[in-house]
Amino acid sequence: MTKTATATDGLEPGSRAQRAVWLTSRRKVLSLAPAAFAFGKVLKAESRQERGRRLLGECIEALGGERFLQIRDVVRSGRAYSFYRANVRGLARITIYENFGPLEEDPEADWLPVSRREVYTEKGDYYNLFENGQGWEVTFRGARPLPQERMNRYRESTRCDIFYFLRYRFDEPDMYYYHRGTEIIDNVPTDAIDVTDRLGEGVTYFLRQSDRLPVQQVYQRRDPRTRIPSEEKSAFSKYREVSGVILPWNIRREVDGEKAFELFGRTAEVNPRLDASTYSLDKRLTLLPESP
């Protein structure tokens, strides 16, 4: 049988030299024990719930920290594609204006503290506008109110959007976080975090492990009439820094595994000077009846 060499080999058994070597080795082991115990205790102390919340907090820092939270306006432009049954249904040169206002004191307030204008032509004469719980489709004919179903879907998707969530809902009362573990998305290791609010509505966010930036989000939505659930997924890529804030240049949305929308960003501005009329409906427009 092969004998493993030790620090006392070659010393006379029971000698002072052998005992001194043994005591020195023992002290080294004992000196490392408290640090190892403390490290193991820290790892054990952090629950999956605490880890989920901590990782989303690190995501805020990765996106720019306080600068990200203090964004007032974002303007993006690029190419947007809409799809139907995996086929391209529309293409537009799009410019998206978003304004992030103060959160209402009443957490049950029906609408969102966000105004949005989506412009689909270079002239700016065709766009969608969302403001204070109302929405319009504006063309050369006038402004037509968007159907309530479309408004409800827009509100739900915005509330689940991770960039909205981190600004407005991260500290919402009775929010439940759960770190599900590591998942590989497009060959990228991510941390999967389930978030459930007090109404039981949930969404899963996937953060890139290398830098904590959002890679994907997934949530279930039920058709209000049929109650049939569908899975809505958004993917984010090609992050770039704009005025100290990290923004995704490309955004893709899927419904039940089929691509529905894709944006390829070209430019982006944070807190530009905008005219006060950007997020309001022009009073000179003809008001049209809602589509049947």
Side-chain angles (χ1 to χ4, degrees), residues 54-90:
R54 175 175 63 81
L55 290 175
L56 284 172
E58 292 178 5
C59 179
I60 293 176
E61 294 302 317
L63 291 168
E66 196 61 30
R67 288 190 177 185
F68 167 76
L69 296 175
Q70 296 300 323
I71 288 178
R72 184 185 67 256
D73 292 277
V74 174
V75 180
R76 307 167 186 259
S77 66
R79 291 178 291 115
Y81 296 84
S82 61
F83 298 83
Y84 180 71
R85 294 184 178 179
N87 296 316
V88 176
R89 185 173 62 178

Side-chain angles (χ1 to χ4, degrees), residues 150-167:
R150 169 75 184 279
M151 296 300 297
N152 292 340
R153 188 167 65 249
Y154 168 76
R155 180 180 184 273
E156 184 177 356
S157 64
T158 299
R159 281 174 56 82
C160 289
D161 181 81
I162 187 169
F163 302 99
Y164 177 92
F165 177 87
L166 294 174
R167 285 190 185 96

Side-chain angles (χ1 to χ4, degrees), residues 207-223:
L207 308 182
R208 197 159 58 193
Q209 291 185 348
S210 60
D211 53 17
R212 299 291 187 253
L213 292 175
V215 172
Q216 186 172 278
Q217 67 183 39
V218 179
Y219 71 95
Q220 296 285 334
R221 181 182 183 276
R222 285 188 178 274
D223 186 284

